[in-house]
């Protein structure tokens, strides 16, 4: 069949074969019997979504009416990313490609629990929270990508997919062979589909940095865990960020790297640094993670840190690939306490306890620099600067769920004991016409700080709900650390 022949050619195409392939597409698209609508039915669109941009360049350069019609149609079918201009009629790079977007770290407009599909986003349903199991129904043929996880399906008809996540450690521990060395290279999925036989391809995410040219793609294996044990299957092809299995059978499955032990191979992987801020009025603390670049693992850490009210700060990842299994040293420009100072870059499945360094920064009145260096060669691989204003922003950006009145009532005693310099707060209240000049002076004339705090709170409470709201906002702006600390106490109760 013409469509199947073309699809096989596109899957085999490389740079040296691209020109010949595009001529083949051009002859099909400009034939009298083929319109852009038929092109879509033949699902060349799927291949375009996976990164074959040469076809789009030809559409732009060819001035025939059929090519221009095809160009406009293709630009409509492949939406531009948020913030981009519609350049379908003026620039050679017509539309973004999903695989290229993810490789560059630019996610399509898609929520965490949605697949990106050919006809729009598809919601993902959590069907079993304890088993971390999800379900999604793909309503039509096409390619569906879960950007938050990196998992993709090419389907030939409507299908329902159920997905759960598992841990590598126990599975590999049961099947590990002494003469070989194994490395978990991505999440472990338990997948089932209904009906069967309509999944043409599955794209399984991996963390290995292929552009480093230090990894043999023959090391990649798709591991299936079945009743008889672990069964290995080579992927149909390996791409940056994912490996493809055509006409797959489904089980507990994921990507492994398999290479002989004792070879001293260093596997370069893409990695992330995650740093979380934990407020305490006497000793601000940071949690620093060095992990493989796995969206599922990042989400698991985000969820765990959120239980303890950690706030992730925005940082850049290491620029270059890091070696899996290598050790790295965490340090700072200030005399900060860091425990532990050494981190090993390893893969722990989501749900397992993740290793991190605690960095204690005291009251942190000055900026701090945190660095990570490779232990053996002392090569600096990552560096970030954290300023006190960064923490104030994050404290003020997430006000407590309580209303101002309820919050001040609940924490009246703590505010009375802990509020410090009130001059800025009093200025805010006077500017908002909550206090007169005389009332402001009445608070300032109190002999002790605690009496000033008590008088301030009592006077504002008597003025009603609106006055309490203005005080609440002023305290968030003037003393974000204290307000964040009290907010965490509210959440813990």
């Amino acid at each position: 069949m013409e469509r199947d022949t073309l699809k096989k050619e596109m899957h085999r195409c490389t740079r040296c074969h691209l020109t010949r392939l595009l001529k083949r597409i051009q002859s099909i698209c400009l034939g009298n019997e083929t319109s852009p609508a038929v092109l879509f039915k033949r699902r060349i669109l799927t291949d375009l979504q996976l990164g074959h941009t040469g076809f789009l360049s030809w559409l732009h350069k060819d001035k025939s009416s059929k090519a221009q019609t095809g160009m406009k149609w293709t630009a409509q079918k492949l939406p531009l990313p948020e913030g981009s201009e519609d350049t379908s009629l003026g620039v050679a790079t017509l539309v973004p490609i999903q695989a290229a977007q993810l490789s560059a770290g630019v996610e399509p407009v898609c929520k965490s629990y949605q697949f990106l599909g050919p006809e729009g986003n598809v919601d993902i349903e959590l069907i079993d929270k304890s088993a971390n199991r999800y379900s999604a129904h793909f309503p039509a043929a096409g390619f569906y990508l879960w950007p938050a996880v990196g998992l993709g399906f090419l389907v030939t008809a409507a299908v329902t997919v159920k997905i759960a996540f598992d841990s590598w450690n126990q599975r590999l521990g049961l099947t590990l062979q002494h003469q070989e060395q194994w490395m978990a290279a991505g999440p472990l999925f338990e997948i089932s589909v209904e009906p069967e036989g309509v999944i043409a391809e599955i794209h399984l995410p991996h963390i290995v940095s292929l552009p480093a040219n230090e990894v043999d793609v023959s090391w990649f294996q798709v591991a299936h865990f079945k009743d008889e044990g672990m069964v290995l299957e080579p992927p149909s092809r390996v791409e940056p960020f994912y490996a493809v299995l055509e006409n797959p059978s489904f089980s507990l499955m994921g990507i492994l790297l398999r290479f002989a032990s004792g070879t001293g191979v260093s596997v370069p992987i893409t990695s992330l640094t995650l740093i979380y801020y934990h407020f305490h009025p006497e000793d601000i603390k940071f949690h620093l993670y060095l992990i493989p670049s796995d969206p599922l693992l990042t989400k698991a850490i985000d969820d765990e840190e959120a239980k303890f009210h950690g706030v992730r700060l925005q940082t850049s990842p290491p620029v270059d690939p890091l070696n899996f299994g290598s050790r790295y040293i965490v340090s700072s420009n200030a005399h900060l306490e860091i425990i532990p100072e050494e981190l090993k870059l390893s893969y722990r499945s989501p749900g397992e306890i993740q290793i991190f360094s605690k960095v204690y920064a005291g009251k942190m009145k000055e900026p701090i620099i945190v660095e990570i260096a490779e232990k053996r060669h002392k090569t600096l691989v990552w560096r970030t600067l954290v300023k006190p204003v960064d923490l104030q922003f994050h404290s003020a950006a997430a006000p407590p769920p309580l209303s101002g009145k309820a919050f001040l009532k609940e924490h009246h005693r703590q505010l009375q004991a802990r509020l410090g310099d009130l001059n800025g707060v009093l200025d805010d209240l006077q500017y908002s016409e909550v206090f007169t000049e005389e009332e402001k002076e009445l608070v300032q004339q109190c002999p002790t700080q605690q009496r000033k705090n008590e008088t301030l709170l009592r006077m504002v409470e008597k003025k009603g709900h609106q006055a309490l709201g203005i005080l609440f906002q002023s305290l968030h702006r003037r003393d974000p650390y204290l307000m964040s600390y009290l907010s965490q106490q509210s959440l813990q109760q």
Side-chain angles (χ1 to χ4, degrees):
M1 185 182 297
E2 186 79 60
R3 176 256 177 197
D4 292 335
T5 302
L6 176 62
K7 181 172 179 294
K8 290 179 181 178
E9 288 179 357
M10 292 196 79
H11 285 170
R12 288 198 304 265
C13 82
T14 60
R15 289 182 182 273
C16 61
H17 295 133
L18 186 58
T19 301
R20 184 177 61 188
L21 172 65
L22 294 178
K23 289 181 179 179
R24 177 67 172 148
I25 296 174
Q26 181 176 353
S27 66
I28 293 174
C29 291
L30 294 184
N32 294 329
E33 76 288 354
T34 306
S35 67
V38 176
L39 176 65
F40 176 66
K41 290 179 181 178
R42 291 184 174 182
R43 289 178 39 254
I44 297 175
L45 173 62
T46 297
D47 299 285
L48 295 177
Q49 286 177 314
L50 297 180
H52 300 282
T53 57
F55 172 63
L56 300 177
S57 297
W58 160 73
L59 283 177
H60 172 72
K61 293 175 183 177
D62 194 294
K63 301 304 180 182
S64 69
S65 59
K66 288 183 183 292
Q68 291 300 301
T69 302
M71 179 181 69
K72 295 176 183 178
W73 169 84
T74 307
Q76 292 172 351
K77 291 297 182 182
L78 297 177
L80 289 163
E82 185 178 10
S84 298
E85 297 180 2
D86 185 356
T87 58
S88 59
L89 298 179
V91 182
T93 305
L94 297 176
V95 291
I97 306 302
Q98 288 179 11
Q101 288 177 357
L102 294 175
S103 301
V106 179
E107 294 188 2
V109 181
C110 182
K111 297 180 180 178
S112 295
Y113 291 97
Q114 285 185 329
F115 274 91
L116 190 65
E119 299 179 358
N121 295 345
V122 175
D123 290 334
I124 300 170
E125 178 186 2
L126 177 62
I127 57 176
D128 188 342
K129 186 174 182 180
S130 62
N132 203 16
R133 188 180 302 276
Y134 301 85
S135 177
H137 177 72
F138 305 150
F143 182 72
Y144 294 83
L145 176 68
W146 190 351
V149 176
L151 181 65
F153 296 88
L154 175 61
V155 306
T156 59
V159 63
T160 297
V161 177
K162 294 182 179 178
I163 305 163
F165 303 96
D166 209 321
S167 170
W168 281 105
N169 281 4
Q170 184 179 3
R171 305 293 176 176
L172 279 181
L174 297 174
T175 56
L176 189 62
Q177 302 179 28
H178 294 293
Q179 70 271 24
E180 292 179 309
Q181 187 172 345
W182 302 89
M183 171 185 152
L188 184 60
F189 302 98
E190 183 178 359
I191 299 173
S192 61
V193 300
E194 180 65 35
E196 297 181 352
V198 299
I199 307 293
E201 292 181 356
I202 181 172
H203 293 200
L204 296 168
H206 69 74
I207 59 174
V208 180
S209 177
L210 291 183
N213 297 322
E214 299 175 26
V215 177
D216 186 341
V217 293
S218 67
W219 296 348
F220 283 78
Q221 298 287 327
V222 179
H224 297 267
F225 293 94
K226 301 182 178 182
D227 293 340
E228 60 269 28
M230 183 172 72
V231 178
L232 297 177
E233 179 181 10
S236 305
R237 66 184 188 276
V238 179
E239 305 285 353
F241 305 101
Y242 64 93
V244 179
L245 198 60
E246 295 181 351
N247 302 314
S249 60
F250 291 101
S251 61
L252 192 61
M253 60 195 303
I255 300 295
L256 280 179
L257 248 63
R258 176 187 187 183
F259 45 91
S261 61
T263 58
V265 173
S266 295
V267 179
I269 66 171
T270 56
S271 61
L272 287 176
T273 48
L274 306 177
I275 185 167
Y276 297 83
Y277 152 60
H278 290 258
F279 173 78
H280 188 280
E282 299 300 325
D283 198 357
I284 290 172
K285 179 176 61 177
F286 300 93
H287 290 175
L288 178 63
Y289 297 78
L290 179 61
I291 61 170
S293 182
D294 177 353
L296 196 63
L297 182 56
T298 300
K299 183 183 181 304
I301 295 174
D302 278 342
D303 292 345
E304 182 67 17
E305 284 286 335
K307 295 177 183 178
F308 302 95
H309 317 300
V311 178
R312 177 142 62 103
L313 303 181
Q314 184 177 7
T315 60
S316 298
V319 175
D320 297 320
L322 302 184
N323 289 329
F324 185 87
S326 294
R327 297 181 180 274
Y328 296 86
I329 302 299
V330 181
S331 62
S332 172
N333 65 324
H335 296 291
L336 305 183
E337 186 176 7
I338 302 174
I339 303 175
E341 294 183 343
E342 183 176 306
L343 293 174
K344 181 180 179 181
L345 182 55
S346 59
Y347 188 94
R348 292 172 175 253
S349 297
E352 298 180 26
I353 297 176
Q354 306 297 323
I355 303 300
F356 61 91
S357 290
K358 293 181 180 180
V359 181
Y360 294 91
K363 294 185 178 180
M364 196 178 154
K365 296 183 178 180
E366 299 293 334
I368 63 169
I369 294 174
V370 181
E371 298 177 337
I372 299 178
E374 197 270 332
K375 181 180 180 181
R376 183 177 179 183
H377 299 101
K378 297 181 173 55
T379 305
L380 183 66
V381 298
W382 179 82
R383 189 174 191 261
T384 193
L385 172 68
V386 182
K387 298 182 178 181
V389 68
D390 298 331
L391 310 186
Q392 293 178 21
F393 170 78
H394 283 282
S395 297
L402 296 175
S403 68
K405 180 179 179 180
F407 181 87
L408 295 173
K409 180 178 179 180
E410 178 178 336
H411 297 289
H412 182 97
R413 291 183 61 184
Q414 293 98 321
L415 291 169
Q416 181 178 326
R418 296 192 178 206
L419 283 177
D421 184 6
L422 296 179
N423 288 333
V425 175
L426 291 171
D427 288 342
D428 292 341
L429 294 175
Q430 184 182 4
Y431 178 80
S432 302
E433 299 183 349
V434 174
F435 276 4
T436 64
E437 180 67 28
E438 291 76 14
E439 288 172 322
K440 175 181 175 181
E441 292 177 355
L442 183 62
V443 174
Q444 291 173 327
Q445 290 170 1
C446 291
T448 65
Q449 185 64 53
Q450 188 166 344
R451 287 287 299 276
K452 291 178 182 179
N453 298 343
E454 181 181 359
T455 302
L456 170 71
L457 294 171
R458 185 180 67 252
M459 291 173 63
V460 174
E461 286 173 358
K462 289 181 179 180
K463 292 179 178 289
H465 179 78
Q466 185 175 358
L468 285 168
I470 293 172
L471 174 60
F472 176 74
Q473 294 298 328
S474 175
L475 291 175
H476 255 290
R477 184 167 58 255
R478 301 288 183 175
D479 199 345
Y481 295 109
L482 176 59
M483 296 296 280
S484 176
Y485 177 71
L486 296 177
S487 299
Q488 292 183 37
Q489 287 191 335
S490 297
L491 293 171
Q492 291 171 353
Q493 293 174 356

